[in-house]
Amino acid sequence: MKKINIAIDGPSAAGKSTIAKRLATKLNYVHLDTGAMYRSTALKATRNGIALDDEKGVCEMLANTEIILTPEGKVFLDGEDVSTAIRTDDISMAASAVSKLKNVRADLVKRQQQMAKAGGFIMDGRDIGTVVLKDAELKIFMTASAEARAKRRYDQNIAQGIPTSDIETIAEEIRKRDYDDTHRAESPLRKADDAVEIDTSDMTIEEVVNCVYQLVMPLLEV
Ligand code: DC
């Protein structure tokens, strides 16, 4: 069967990664969580004492940085498993800061495009349908209210044993990141003209997976 590429964009904690992961298993595709690449960049910059607005410094660091996303969903930064370390609230904010830097985006976008060449990828992020995979056969724009997203992120943190703030604090951070992600100069978060919008606030994971699956199936038969 034909292998297509699927782009899933949307604000933070809208469920993109969870849905992409499930869908990848169902279709036998590879899920690529591009947010993990911005998070890994932020983690290394923080550890190395590089300011998060130092574009030159972060880019030079990236030139000697290996970020590997495994099909099992693990993230390796220069060989170290950072899958959990990149999920803290501090790194969420730091990732949002480095993602504003034009040349950092250029570097990571190039890596993402290289990876997706073979087809059969479900890539989630903010600029996948608008920049990284402009020609993706299916583009989804996934949204949910800030309250619904904060509750999900909180539950996810608890389930994974990740230190977490309370729901209202997470909701505030989500609103701030939404603002930053949609108002930044470089590749701001926006729905691609040809993307299908899904508001998942009142949907279960299964319902969202099935909804996207119904959109994918006809594309595989042509
Ligand atoms: O999806 P996430 O929360 O793991 O993303 C972390 C940060 O990285 C978020 O603030 C937005 C940014 N990001 C981006 O600018 N472009 C992407 N393709 C993915 C994430």
Side-chain angles (χ1 to χ4, degrees):
M1 213 184 269
K2 188 178 156 195
K3 291 253 183 196
I4 63 167
N5 279 326
I6 302 170
I8 304 184
D9 289 302
S12 60
K16 302 182 299 291
S17 277
T18 306
I19 301 304
K21 219 174 285 167
R22 297 275 185 111
L23 205 61
T25 306
K26 215 170 152 99
L27 292 166
N28 199 18
Y29 273 31
V30 178
H31 168 223
L32 221 144
D33 169 9
T34 61
M37 300 174 76
Y38 290 92
R39 287 171 178 272
S40 300
T41 304
L43 177 66
K44 185 167 174 182
T46 305
R47 283 176 172 176
N48 290 2
I50 299 171
L52 300 171
D53 59 356
D54 175 2
E55 181 158 24
K56 192 162 170 280
V58 178
C59 280
E60 281 171 8
M61 177 201 85
L62 264 186
N64 295 302
T65 300
E66 182 189 62
I67 302 170
I68 293 178
L69 308 178
T70 72
E72 296 76 35
K74 291 224 171 290
V75 184
F76 287 89
L77 173 62
D78 296 328
E80 176 193 349
D81 184 348
V82 293
S83 313
T84 307
I86 58 169
R87 299 291 162 197
T88 63
D89 293 340
D90 285 350
I91 294 301
S92 296
M93 298 307 282
S96 183
V98 295
S99 73
K100 289 184 188 149
L101 307 175
K102 184 177 181 195
N103 290 313
V104 168
R105 301 199 69 83
D107 181 314
L108 297 182
V109 165
K110 198 155 49 150
R111 296 183 196 211
Q112 293 152 12
Q113 288 172 332
Q114 198 67 32
M115 290 186 238
K117 263 188 183 154
F121 279 83
I122 304 175
M123 212 180 264
D124 79 87
R126 304 293 188 289
D127 58 343
I128 311 305
T130 52
V131 177
V132 182
L133 300 178
K134 276 193 196 145
D135 55 355
E137 285 85 346
L138 178 63
K139 299 179 184 179
I140 304 289
F141 194 77
M142 205 171 274
T143 62
S145 68
E147 292 69 27
R149 288 185 277 144
K151 165 108 182 40
R152 287 179 195 161
R153 182 56 55 96
Y154 177 83
D155 291 345
Q156 196 179 37
N157 286 347
I158 296 286
Q160 295 176 2
I162 296 169
T164 186
S165 320
D166 58 83
I167 295 179
E168 191 37 49
T169 307
I170 299 176
E172 262 168 45
E173 283 172 4
I174 282 178
R175 282 187 211 104
K176 178 178 182 323
R177 277 208 287 152
D178 283 356
Y179 184 87
D180 287 350
D181 290 348
T182 51
H183 286 79
R184 69 182 178 212
E186 296 304 324
S187 309
L189 170 66
R190 69 168 184 86
K191 176 181 166 298
D193 294 338
D194 51 350
V196 180
E197 183 161 350
I198 304 175
D199 183 338
T200 69
S201 303
D202 299 315
M203 293 171 81
T204 64
I205 292 171
E206 270 323 300
E207 283 170 340
V208 184
V209 171
N210 285 331
C211 173
V212 181
Y213 191 70
Q214 297 306 322
L215 295 168
V216 174
M217 286 324 279
L219 301 174
L220 301 183
E221 283 153 14
V222 282

